[in-house]
Amino acid sequence: MALKIHGIPMSTCTARVLTCLHEKGLEFELAPVNLSVGEHKQTPFLSKNPFGQIPVLEDGDLTLFESRAITMYVSKKYKEKGEDLLRLKGDDLKEQAMVGVWVEVESQQYSPAITPIISEYFLAPMHGKTPDEKVIEAGVEKFGKVLDVYETRLCQSKYLAGDFYSLADLHHLSYTHYFMKTPWASLINSRPHVKAWWDNISSRSAFQKVSQAMTFGDKK
Ligand code: GS8
């Protein structure tokens, strides 16, 4: 039975999972969730994710939420297929540990800094609100400091966990894709190693397939 993803391609967290599925060369079914009518806050969906958020993965009788947990599961279950995103085929515990470190850094440092900028810039106007400049200013300052660490790290290795592409890099794609459409894209572009890394990972065919549908915020 094919994997089933509940979500929408424009959503960052859904896109994270879809990118992983493409990297692994897996077939899947995408079941759209109608956020505008609050489908994700109603009983059938809440039985899949009690927090009422997308994405959700169904694999037979297993139901998972949290995009990073889903990519982890997929990368482990299909370790022999497609890109080895967790370095499981080799026996190098150090490489696997470094993937673990940078998966955590994305979740604990990068994401908390970048998310408020994206939310204020793209989502506030959608809800009829003016973006809160103070939140954006604080986010930009925080994100700049995180990116300084990334610049240093990416001077040492081509990718975050080492000289190999991994789930750690993949997890950054969807939020950064939208960030690059904001007026603060220079935070990435002005750091040469971060920019080279971004150009490299965002041009992978798996993400190209997903990013085509990530049109949120595009001028009509
Ligand atoms: C966050 C899910 C999330 O924020 C994950 O899966 O990684 N930590 C979780 N989902 C958003 C869409 S992300 O673009 C969502 O469902 N928003 C609607 C809502 O919260 O009501």
Side-chain angles (χ1 to χ4, degrees), residues 86-101 161 164:
L86 291 172
R87 305 300 280 180
L88 297 174
K89 281 191 201 167
D91 214 4
D92 194 328
L93 191 56
K94 286 185 188 167
E95 283 185 355
Q96 293 169 5
M98 290 307 287
V99 175
V101 168
F164 50 86

Side-chain angles (χ1 to χ4, degrees), residues 11-13 16 40-41 52-55 66-68:
S11 121
T12 44
C13 301
R16 181 176 287 133
H40 55 313
K41 305 295 181 197
Q53 291 189 315
I54 54 169
E66 285 297 335
S67 60
R68 296 171 185 86

